[in-house]
Every structure is written in structure tokens, then in C-alpha cells.
Amino acid sequence: MALSSRAHAFSVEALVGRSAKRKVPDGPDEEPGAGCRQSRRAPDAEKRPKAAAESREAGVQVELQGSELWRRFHEIGTEMIITKAGRRMFPSVRVKVKGLEPLKQYYIAIDVVPVDSKRYRYVYHSSQWMVAGNTDHSCITPRLYIHPDSPCSGETWMRQIISFDRVKLTNNEMDDKGHIILQSMHKYKPRVHVIAQDSRFDLAQIQSLPAEGVQTFSFQETEFTTVTAYQNQQITKLKIDRNPFAKGFRDPGRNR
């Protein structure tokens, strides 16, 4: 028996037909191809923090160790104390190097350079650093600290974590102990240098970077402001909590 037009609209065939038509445009979302899945993951990949600096031309990579701790300090505003006698950094710069030629000899070095030409002051009511004026860094030449294990083969360097925990920061412009000379209330960043050995020079005695054979790496999270006493109480607390050499400050019995 033939169905009326209204009855046909509610027939099984009509309902199935509508369902099929609705599913057609939704199909790609339910079963995306490989290209669709990759494009969706790409934004997440871009958000991942990078803890490695890389020299594209030679394939050498330098990865910052303890980057998570550095980031915690960086989020607050890292401060490093400098003294006349020299003070060690915490966190210290520790890196892992990849991509060196195994049999080639290298020096690994570090220096600390200004981030900008500004002088800063800490504003307590807003708990932040503010620009206090301009400054001139030309009177202080950045000192180069050669890692004491230098020179070593690329194979040896790549097997170990390279630590600069012996580096000391000072505000004594007349320092003769090899400490890195900085000015208080300024922003700086450490730089790690991979220097290929050159028979023409005794790199262990150089005071500045050679003109060639150098690859330089830096990390934004290691930037810091120099102080003679900590300004931010959050920095003080984090230093005491995480610095293994600050055990005496954490021991209430000893403090009493």
C-alpha cells in the first residue's frame, strides 16, 4: 500500500537516509587522518619549554641541567649575591653537551654578560624590579672562566655533566683571583662556550674569547639580577629550601 507523503516522512527508509546524511560531514572529525592528528598536536609541542641551546651549523647541542629549578627561580626573579671575596652561584650552571667530534679536543668555558644597559631597583610594595636608570658596562670586560677539566676530547665531555659550581661572582673590580666581576643591581646572563682547541693559542691562558672556533650557548631561565643582599623574600626562602649548603639556615635548633 502506497504511503502518503506525511507517512513517508516518518518511514524507516527516510529516517535511515537522514541519519546517513548527517554522518557524512562528521566523519573526518571522528576518524581524523594522520595529517589531522599532527596538526592538532603541533600547538602543544610549541608550548613545551626548551632547555637546550643549539648551534645549527655544526649540530652541537648544549642542554641545561636542573632547568626546572632554574625556571622556578626565574618565575620569581632570580637574584645572585655578589661580594668582595666572591660568592658561588646557586643554582649553578650545569650542562650536558652533544654533537662534538669524539677525538677532537675542546675547551669548555663560561662568562657572564649584561642583559641590557639598565640599572635596577627593587620596589617592595609591588614586589618587582624596576628600571632605575642607565648604566655603562664598558669599564668592565667580561671575564672568561675556563672549566678546569679543559682541554678534553669530545668523547670525554659528552660522557659527563659539565658543572660550573666553582665559579664565584664578585663586585671587586680589582679582583686578582679570577672571579667574575659584576656590578650590583644589574641583570646578567651566563653563557657557555665550546671552543675547539687551536695549536696557535694557549687557550688556558686567554682572558677573552678567540675570534674563531667558538660556539656560544645561553638560556633565558638562567638570567639573574645581582644584589649584595636578597631583596625578594621568596627568593630567600627558595634558596634556603633548595640549596644543600644552606642546611644551617633550615635547622631551627642551630638557629636558636
Side-chain angles (χ1 to χ4, degrees):
M1 180 177 68
L3 296 174
S4 66
S5 59
R6 176 174 293 184
H8 179 73
F10 291 96
S11 67
V12 173
E13 292 83 2
L15 293 174
V16 170
R18 289 179 187 174
S19 177
K21 288 178 182 177
R22 283 198 300 269
K23 287 183 179 179
V24 170
D26 296 336
D29 288 339
E30 294 177 1
E31 290 294 335
C36 295
R37 287 195 294 269
Q38 290 173 356
S39 64
R40 288 177 181 177
R41 284 199 299 264
D44 293 334
E46 291 174 1
K47 293 177 184 176
R48 291 171 188 163
K50 296 180 180 179
E54 181 176 346
S55 174
R56 299 289 180 186
E57 56 189 30
V60 175
Q61 298 179 359
V62 173
E63 297 177 353
L64 179 66
Q65 305 297 292
S67 58
E68 188 58 39
L69 180 59
W70 274 106
R71 286 191 199 101
R72 286 191 63 187
F73 276 101
H74 185 66
E75 289 168 359
I76 304 171
T78 311
E79 300 174 19
M80 294 286 180
I81 286 186
I82 57 177
T83 64
K84 292 290 184 183
R87 177 72 72 92
R88 291 189 181 189
M89 297 171 60
F90 182 81
S92 60
V93 177
R94 299 163 62 247
V95 297
K96 188 91 166 128
V97 181
K98 300 178 181 178
L100 302 177
E101 295 182 28
L103 300 181
K104 194 170 183 177
Q105 296 288 308
Y106 297 89
Y107 288 78
I108 307 292
I110 191 174
D111 64 4
V112 179
V113 296
V115 170
D116 53 34
S117 58
K118 306 295 183 183
R119 187 176 70 257
Y120 291 82
R121 65 185 179 88
Y122 189 76
V123 181
Y124 290 94
H125 70 266
S126 59
S127 300
Q128 61 182 335
W129 288 94
M130 302 291 290
V131 174
N134 296 323
T135 190
D136 182 11
H137 292 286
S138 61
C139 57
I140 300 177
T141 303
R143 277 189 173 176
L144 193 64
Y145 177 93
I146 305 289
H147 192 280
D149 291 347
S150 301
C152 267
S153 67
E155 181 181 18
T156 301
W157 285 124
M158 290 187 291
R159 279 203 310 257
Q160 64 185 29
I161 292 176
I162 304 165
S163 176
F164 290 97
D165 58 346
R166 296 183 183 179
V167 171
K168 288 188 177 183
L169 310 179
T170 182
N171 55 2
N172 180 12
E173 296 184 13
M174 305 301 293
D175 176 80
D176 58 358
K177 299 178 180 178
H179 301 332
I180 291 179
I181 302 173
L182 305 176
Q183 295 175 288
S184 182
M185 299 298 188
H186 291 72
K187 289 189 176 182
Y188 293 91
K189 66 176 179 181
R191 302 186 304 176
V192 175
H193 309 281
V194 179
I195 310 170
Q197 188 177 43
D198 190 330
S199 57
R200 296 172 297 174
F201 308 105
D202 180 7
L203 295 176
Q205 302 299 320
I206 63 172
Q207 300 297 316
S208 58
L209 288 171
E212 55 188 40
V214 181
Q215 296 182 69
T216 299
F217 306 84
S218 62
F219 308 88
Q220 184 177 11
E221 57 264 51
T222 61
E223 294 179 2
F224 61 84
T225 304
T226 49
V227 295
T228 53
Y230 293 128
Q231 305 295 297
N232 188 338
Q233 292 184 354
Q234 293 182 72
I235 289 291
T236 305
K237 183 178 185 305
L238 190 55
K239 293 255 187 179
I240 292 173
D241 289 345
R242 301 305 296 271
N243 188 349
F245 298 102
K247 183 177 183 299
F249 293 98
R250 294 194 297 268
D251 185 352
R254 182 169 178 174
N255 286 342
R256 285 199 298 270

